[in-house]
Amino acid sequence: MKRSSLLLVSIMLLFSMFLAACGSNNSSTPSKEGETSSGTETSTEAKKDPVNLRVFSTFGGTDAAREAFQGVLDEFVEKNPHVKIENDTMSANDDGFRTKVNTDMNTGNEPDLLFYFIGTDAEGFVNAGKVVPLNQILDDNPDWKNGFIPSALELARQKDGNIYAAPLTGFYEGLFVNKKIFEENGLELPTDWEKLKTAVTKLSEKGIIPLSVPFDQSHYLIEHAILSAAGPESQAKGLIDGVDPNWEKGYAAMKELYDLGAFPKDAATIDLSMAGNYYSEGLGAMILEGSWAIGGWSEETRNNSTVIPFPAVPGGAGSGNDIVGGFGTGFYLSKATYDDAAKKDTTIELLKFLTSPESIQKIATANGGTPAADVEVTGLAQVALDGFAMAAKADSISSPVDSKVSQETFSNLRSNVQPVVTGKKTPTEAIEDAKKTEDANKN
Amino acid sequence: MKGDRKYIFTFLLPAAVFMSVFLYYPFFKSVYLSFFRTTGFFDKKFIGWDNYKRLFTDELLGAATLHTLEIMLYVIVFQVGIALLLAVLVDNISKFKGFYRTVFFFPVVISGTAISLLFVLVYNYNFGLLNNLLAGFGIEKILWLDESNALRAVAIPTVWHYVGFYFVLFLTAMSKIPSDYYEAAKLEGITGVKKTFLLTIPLIMSDIKVVITLAITGTLKVFEFIWVITKGQNGTEVLGTYMYKKAMVDQNFGYGSAIAIYMVVFGVILALVANRLLKRDEITY
Amino acid sequence: MEPTKVVAHKTLRVKSGRFSLGTTLMHVVLIAWALTTIYPLFWIVNNSFKMSRDVMNDSFAFAWSPVLTNYMNAFDRMNIGMSYVNSLIMSFSTVFLVLLFGGLAAYVLSRFQFRGKRTIYSILYATLLIPAFATVVPVYELLIHTKLVNTYLGLILPQTAGNLTFATLIIAGYMATIPKELEEASFIDGCNRWQMFTKVFLPISQPVFASASIFVFLWSYNDLFSALIFVNKENVRPIVALLNEISSQYGTDFGLMATAVSLTVIPVLLVYLFISKYIEKGLTEGAIKG
């Protein structure tokens, strides 16, 4: 039979590939064994021995600092030829990222250095003792410590008061405004609530999207509405110890804006990138975003933009000059590496190198973030400089409200944006609903 | 046959081992987790049946179930229906068979995410393809994804994407019908539509059953189109997206696992009901 | 062997269908559907030659002035050749294991009478419903403990398990209707069950093995989620990982996405063209009679 011989050939082909798979499998194992055996040797000899380090970060995909980060790693390897670095990356907006990091941490597959979120997201592995506090190492290396802006280190503290993550660049969020559209329509910058309402009404009449935000991925809308209605202190408390009625005012403010026609008609079903696209293409006059978004806009929009704090909601506790920002990410040093004499020193060297003022400058230049060291970042757009100025002048800088409540509570807050603005739920019901989720999560 | 027990055991063993290690063991870990209140990966607290009690009071889950059933209806009627029609047609023609077989398979090959983006840009209110066409005729823009349309709008790409999949399965099934059956039918004057209903469809009934089972179970897992096109907003939340939100976004694995178990139980019941309805004596030729 | 008969039959059909109105109508329907399936592929490839912004705002326009930026970007970010090889090794191995073990299980389920068969079917339906998100963490832990993370087997084994149910069910559905006489004849010839499987059922079921292999290949090859978690190291990661390079918190590069999809689609189409020959009718007819 001809056909069965053809089938046989293809099966054999498959089989040989399978064998090949096993073959290359085996060849990769010895290098791993070598790695662990070098771990048992004394640290004096370890300097000459090859060291393999795994750095797991989000500097991949379309990340603006991807190349700059690879460059910094290359530089370190050039200076320390015995070190091999595996630059393991995954996109932070991929939900698989958190899963992988946490499972790695949980199962003894920790990377040597991990670039990850600071705050609630990290609480799990921090409390489980999977990473080491950096306080002592910072004190032992004054040169390194002094390279950071003190406030950057302060903002990197976990709840227990220790610093586990060495910050690199920070971020700010705010109300980005297309000045050109405002000028063309004879509008003032929306620095207070009345001006915002006037602008929304006028723009909406003219068929321009006043504030380009999505309802489902309404992270920034919620963050700003709650901060400006409840004020930084109440925002920081979250919902666990009771509900501050000012939170409801944030939701009522969203409804007020919605009734004036502030949001895109298809706000319910678009995502953040489409909302950003409307702004970038000049279809929208304002957007709530973070500093990272600037690089993604069209050059024209970028040049016409400025950023201001979200105005205070009338009757709320915000000052109108409170902003969302901070150092949301940093490098963690895993406990397993710290306890491994062969790797410890090299890894600390690498950590120091990655967060040295020079490296910070390179990364900040690439991604437009706020540098964690006192360095000058050049070549930035005017709007980015406006952003730095806004952050410098702010009355308070708070980390986003999603780091103050559980993930599930925040999802609940997000899912209630649409029902509230369309009048299906009252702001009170929305916050009560969120409070219930929060309570269930902390039980 | 003598000694069959030995063969039954040996032939089933490798598949059973694979599935036990990589599916059943992990799944039972999920079952175990469903009795816990989890926060992230490190904290969990035993709460007995609470997650299951929550299932029955969760309005969003109820809505997601109904939306899933609606899409399932579209999938069974249109996806399986169109696939069967196309397979019958291709089986009945003599020219360009290879061509159709190839191009009908195109959508299946393209990832759901890419197709979803295509439809995002078709439906978009401000510059989508449909509204641009309307603008060309001077008609006012339409919000294609509003609450009354959204579910049907996402059902279209969902249905269309995998027609090629069932088409190939049907074509495969038809290939086993011996040609002398058709020749005999021809001699008796049974051709065309009659042939299809009297001969082809009854003869591939066991495969149609499998296909319907696959359609039911597949729909319960529908995820990408809804996730990308509407984010589950405007009455389009389905079980797949809801479970994902709970387990992966909220990191509440306990409740997420409970939903996964609900989906499995619900799906098995549906599949068994469908099989009972389609019950016939299995034919061999 | 009666190849002549098959040929004769084919010509007969061609003749009967040549001038019929019905046939024309059938072609009209088929071509209409074909247009809907061809267009998206064209759309993807067309947009792979545009910058992200143009994809967003003008995705339906023809790329008159194509840019190669996305392709250069893709080749810059990944060792495309090596990733293809990784993909092919892992996906073909998965297909092989799934067909072998799924085929055996399907043979038992479709041709043997024994107690507990219904239960096994119910379990299989249930298995189809297990969401990947519900098993990924335990599987990953298992792979870490067995040191299989970032090895080919680390993806092949879980994917084999994941695809076995589907393959078993459709192969069993096909085998269920193979005439009993064939089985009996081979039994009289002195075949045991294994020989019966390899000499009778395997050859006759070629079309279903072929379709099952296409789908298993497709799912294994396109499985981004598992690939990113189980095998994301450069020397083992499959080509689908390129799709992970298209986005970050800075946004999605839609042009690069179209390119990544175009680059990943090509091998699947080639494999499909190769395998689909086995589904062709003539082949099996010969086999059943021979």
Side-chain angles (χ1 to χ4, degrees):
Chain A
M1 278 195 189
K2 247 193 327 195
R3 358 188 150 78
S4 54
S5 66
L6 226 161
L7 190 74
L8 194 74
V9 168
S10 49
I11 287 180
M12 279 172 64
L13 191 79
L14 298 180
F15 201 68
S16 64
M17 281 185 152
F18 183 60
L19 287 178
C22 298
S24 57
N25 223 350
N26 294 337
S27 67
S28 73
T29 336
S31 70
K32 266 201 177 158
E33 278 165 6
E35 188 184 313
T36 36
S37 68
S38 75
T40 54
E41 283 167 40
T42 51
S43 56
T44 41
E45 265 179 275
K47 276 223 156 150
K48 293 165 209 160
D49 281 345
V51 182
N52 291 310
L53 299 179
R54 182 159 83 101
V55 180
F56 193 23
S57 73
T58 54
F59 293 111
T62 56
D63 195 293
R66 195 180 69 94
E67 275 152 13
F69 182 69
Q70 181 65 52
V72 172
L73 289 180
D74 291 346
E75 209 178 308
F76 184 80
V77 173
E78 212 170 282
K79 286 181 186 159
N80 305 274
H82 66 291
V83 181
K84 256 199 189 148
I85 300 175
E86 189 191 325
N87 182 11
D88 207 347
T89 62
M90 205 159 162
S91 172
N93 64 347
D94 194 319
D95 293 305
F97 174 65
R98 279 189 286 175
T99 307
K100 187 169 166 79
V101 166
N102 283 291
T103 315
D104 273 350
M105 285 305 204
N106 217 349
T107 329
N109 193 34
E110 303 95 324
D112 299 297
L113 289 179
L114 168 69
F115 187 71
Y116 194 68
F117 309 111
I118 298 172
T120 359
D121 268 314
E123 238 167 58
F125 60 77
V126 165
N127 293 344
K130 301 289 180 182
V131 290
V132 288
L134 300 176
N135 312 31
Q136 191 58 47
I137 309 173
L138 280 163
D139 289 339
D140 292 346
N141 296 276
D143 283 357
W144 181 41
K145 188 178 181 177
N146 294 334
F148 293 105
I149 303 170
S151 69
L153 285 179
E154 282 313 306
L155 283 164
R157 278 186 203 281
Q158 283 294 135
K159 264 190 193 149
D160 65 2
N162 286 326
I163 298 168
Y164 293 89
L168 202 50
T169 61
F171 68 99
Y172 56 84
E173 293 170 15
L175 180 65
F176 288 87
V177 182
N178 188 324
K179 288 181 289 188
K180 193 169 158 228
I181 297 182
F182 268 67
E183 274 163 30
E184 282 167 3
N185 292 284
L187 291 165
E188 281 178 90
L189 281 187
T191 46
D192 63 40
W193 195 253
E194 279 311 311
K195 285 179 192 157
L196 180 64
K197 279 188 353 191
T198 318
V200 164
T201 317
K202 180 98 184 262
L203 291 166
S204 165
E205 275 166 16
K206 296 204 78 174
I208 298 166
I209 299 165
L211 183 56
S212 188
V213 293
F215 288 156
D216 178 57
Q217 295 182 330
S218 47
H219 303 67
Y220 311 123
L221 178 64
I222 296 175
E223 285 163 15
H224 286 96
I226 288 180
L227 181 65
S228 91
E233 274 159 44
S234 163
Q235 185 250 27
K237 281 187 194 139
L239 285 169
I240 192 65
D241 302 322
V243 177
D244 174 357
N246 279 334
W247 282 50
E248 291 163 19
K249 288 179 191 153
Y251 270 69
M254 289 180 206
K255 175 157 176 57
E256 190 181 5
L257 291 177
Y258 174 83
D259 290 339
L260 294 171
F263 307 134
K265 284 214 168 54
D266 49 355
T269 50
I270 57 172
D271 59 5
L272 266 177
S273 70
M274 187 56 83
N277 187 50
Y278 288 166
Y279 180 74
S280 172
E281 293 302 315
L283 297 170
M286 293 178 279
I287 191 169
L288 287 161
E289 259 292 1
S291 45
W292 54 80
I294 296 171
W297 296 329
S298 68
E299 213 179 314
E300 195 193 343
T301 302
R302 188 163 51 236
N303 292 338
N304 288 331
S305 292
T306 187
V307 57
I308 57 173
F310 191 68
V313 173
S319 69
N321 195 18
D322 302 308
I323 68 163
V324 175
F327 288 86
T329 41
F331 281 105
Y332 291 87
L333 173 58
S334 82
K335 181 84 167 70
T337 309
Y338 189 76
D339 292 342
D340 182 343
K343 282 181 173 182
K344 182 185 163 186
D345 293 332
T346 320
T347 313
I348 292 177
E349 279 313 308
L350 176 61
L351 176 63
K352 281 157 67 179
F353 187 80
L354 287 176
T355 52
S356 67
E358 294 76 37
S359 306
I360 289 175
Q361 187 180 26
K362 280 175 198 147
I363 304 286
T365 309
N367 69 10
T370 344
D374 188 13
V375 290
E376 202 188 335
V377 181
T378 51
L380 290 180
Q382 181 58 38
V383 54
L385 301 176
D386 293 351
F388 289 151
M390 173 184 82
K393 279 188 293 188
D395 290 351
S396 73
I397 300 181
S398 309
S399 52
V401 70
D402 38 333
S403 65
K404 312 288 168 63
V405 294
S406 76
Q407 279 291 340
E408 202 176 357
T409 310
F410 192 67
S411 294
N412 189 302
L413 285 169
R414 275 166 53 195
S415 67
N416 274 329
V417 169
Q418 193 188 10
V420 167
V421 298
T422 52
K424 284 194 190 122
K425 272 188 185 170
T426 64
T428 318
E429 282 167 354
I431 302 294
E432 270 170 11
D433 202 13
K435 168 71 177 159
K436 255 185 236 157
T437 315
E438 182 75 358
D439 286 344
N441 261 290
K442 296 289 163 167
N443 271 340
Chain B
M1 223 182 267
K2 247 199 271 172
D4 270 2
R5 290 178 71 92
K6 188 182 76 186
Y7 284 109
I8 292 175
F9 183 74
T10 6
F11 284 7
L12 287 179
L13 187 69
V17 169
F18 259 99
M19 283 156 54
S20 305
V21 173
F22 291 103
L23 287 172
Y24 302 139
Y25 155 76
F27 187 67
F28 281 110
K29 268 197 129 173
S30 286
V31 175
Y32 168 78
L33 264 187
S34 70
F35 293 100
F36 289 84
R37 169 94 232 170
T38 54
T39 311
F41 287 74
F42 293 87
D43 300 322
K44 61 172 189 274
K45 183 176 159 256
F46 184 76
I47 52 162
W49 292 95
D50 279 10
N51 281 326
Y52 290 92
K53 286 181 196 150
R54 185 174 166 189
L55 284 180
F56 291 100
T57 52
D58 190 340
E59 284 168 31
L60 294 173
L61 184 75
T65 308
L66 289 178
H67 299 151
T68 309
L69 286 174
E70 191 175 334
I71 292 189
M72 195 179 288
L73 180 75
Y74 298 141
V75 163
I76 292 174
V77 175
F78 296 108
Q79 196 172 53
V80 177
I82 294 174
L84 187 57
L85 173 75
L86 294 174
V88 167
L89 292 181
V90 169
D91 195 48
N92 272 304
I93 57 166
S94 42
K95 281 189 205 157
F96 307 119
K97 272 186 171 187
F99 170 76
Y100 293 126
R101 236 192 351 250
T102 308
V103 298
F104 289 178
F105 195 66
F106 283 172
V108 187
V109 182
I110 303 170
S111 73
T113 320
I115 302 271
S116 307
L117 181 76
L118 165 65
F119 277 86
V120 164
L121 298 173
V122 167
Y123 290 135
N124 182 280
Y125 177 76
N126 285 299
F127 49 77
L129 180 70
L130 292 176
N131 276 349
N132 274 348
L133 289 177
L134 288 186
F137 293 107
I139 304 171
E140 184 125 340
K141 286 178 181 175
I142 291 177
L143 205 51
W144 296 97
L145 297 173
D146 72 357
E147 283 179 59
S148 54
N149 291 330
L151 192 62
R152 263 165 285 159
V154 286
I156 291 173
T158 311
V159 164
W160 169 82
H161 187 212
Y162 256 50
V163 166
F165 169 74
Y166 297 112
F167 165 79
V168 169
L169 291 184
F170 283 133
L171 219 54
T172 313
M174 288 172 189
S175 71
K176 74 183 162 183
I177 302 174
S179 56
D180 31 354
Y181 274 53
Y182 284 141
E183 279 154 33
K186 196 168 193 142
L187 290 177
E188 292 185 27
I190 303 174
T191 51
V193 181
K194 238 177 159 185
K195 185 189 82 182
T196 304
F197 282 102
L198 292 178
L199 212 62
T200 316
I201 292 184
L203 285 174
I204 60 166
M205 209 54 205
S206 69
D207 304 86
I208 294 180
K209 262 160 67 173
V210 173
V211 161
I212 291 191
T213 313
L214 289 174
I216 290 173
T217 53
T219 317
L220 279 170
K221 292 207 268 186
V222 162
F223 170 74
E224 268 168 335
F225 289 101
I226 288 139
W227 190 249
V228 178
I229 299 176
T230 64
K231 295 267 155 203
Q233 298 286 299
N234 280 353
T236 56
E237 192 85 275
V238 291
L239 291 171
T241 51
Y242 192 63
M243 189 248 158
Y244 184 86
K245 278 183 181 170
K246 287 295 157 195
M248 303 301 286
V249 181
D250 295 354
Q251 309 265 296
N252 186 348
F253 295 103
Y255 190 51
S257 302
I259 300 174
I261 289 156
Y262 165 79
M263 286 163 67
V264 169
V265 173
F266 186 59
V268 170
I269 293 171
L270 286 176
L272 290 178
V273 169
N275 269 281
R276 191 53 56 85
L277 291 177
L278 294 167
K279 194 167 170 61
R280 275 168 181 253
D281 295 324
E282 303 232 317
I283 327 162
T284 57
Y285 306 133
Chain C
M1 293 260 150
E2 295 170 285
T4 38
K5 186 166 184 184
V6 177
V7 174
H9 167 70
K10 273 190 172 168
T11 32
L12 189 82
R13 280 202 167 190
V14 172
K15 266 183 197 161
S16 66
R18 186 163 284 167
F19 297 109
S20 124
L21 184 77
T23 315
T24 320
L25 204 71
M26 284 196 258
H27 278 289
V28 170
V29 174
L30 291 169
I31 285 169
W33 188 264
L35 289 177
T36 75
T37 60
I38 294 170
Y39 183 74
L41 194 64
F42 162 77
W43 184 83
I44 293 280
V45 176
N46 186 38
N47 281 314
S48 72
F49 294 104
K50 294 182 194 169
M51 299 307 288
S52 179
R53 194 182 160 196
D54 299 325
V55 176
M56 233 348 182
N57 299 304
D58 216 3
S59 73
F60 300 98
F62 188 78
W64 288 114
S65 42
V67 288
L68 289 173
T69 322
N70 298 317
Y71 284 91
M72 273 149 45
N73 218 338
F75 279 86
D76 179 46
R77 275 161 192 236
M78 247 172 107
N79 187 335
I80 303 275
M82 188 172 166
S83 300
Y84 274 136
V85 172
N86 290 335
S87 271
L88 294 182
I89 289 173
M90 290 191 279
S91 296
F92 274 123
S93 309
T94 304
V95 168
F96 173 72
L97 290 176
V98 167
L99 291 192
L100 179 64
F101 298 142
L104 285 173
Y107 172 49
V108 169
L109 289 175
S110 59
R111 308 304 297 197
F112 289 62
Q113 294 307 323
F114 58 98
R115 252 191 303 161
K117 204 163 122 172
R118 286 200 75 82
T119 321
I120 293 183
Y121 266 105
S122 302
I123 293 176
L124 286 179
Y125 295 150
T127 311
L128 280 178
L129 290 153
I130 299 178
F133 310 124
T135 57
V136 62
V137 172
V139 169
Y140 186 46
E141 286 171 357
L142 204 68
L143 295 176
I144 291 174
H145 290 311
T146 48
K147 300 222 179 326
L148 288 176
V149 177
N150 286 327
T151 67
Y152 290 142
L153 283 176
L155 192 65
I156 295 169
L157 300 181
Q159 284 190 341
T160 301
N163 286 306
L164 265 172
T165 325
F166 160 78
T168 307
L169 281 175
I170 66 157
I171 297 173
Y174 191 93
M175 283 184 173
T177 42
I178 290 169
K180 278 205 178 74
E181 294 79 36
L182 279 170
E183 206 172 349
E184 280 153 14
S186 66
F187 180 62
I188 292 162
D189 287 350
C191 290
N192 65 25
R193 284 294 198 177
W194 168 254
Q195 288 162 328
M196 219 183 269
F197 175 68
T198 52
K199 294 205 171 133
V200 181
F201 287 93
L202 204 61
I204 291 181
S205 307
Q206 265 185 47
V208 75
F209 276 95
S211 356
S213 63
I214 288 165
F215 294 118
V216 173
F217 180 86
L218 184 72
W219 291 327
S220 149
Y221 181 92
N222 274 342
D223 183 3
L224 176 64
F225 191 68
S226 308
L228 286 183
I229 293 186
F230 303 154
V231 282
N232 74 333
K233 204 173 169 179
E234 210 168 359
N235 59 337
V236 282
R237 67 178 167 180
I239 185 78
V240 67
L242 188 59
L243 281 167
N244 186 45
E245 297 286 315
I246 62 169
S247 70
S248 73
Q249 60 168 335
Y250 296 88
T252 303
D253 185 330
F254 294 101
L256 188 58
M257 185 195 82
T259 304
V261 173
S262 304
L263 286 171
T264 49
V265 156
I266 299 163
V268 193
L269 283 179
L270 292 178
V271 167
Y272 177 68
L273 287 177
F274 175 74
I275 294 178
S276 72
K277 287 200 183 113
Y278 286 93
I279 309 174
E280 274 179 60
K281 200 167 176 171
L283 277 172
T284 32
E285 280 176 354
I288 286 183
K289 284 172 189 158

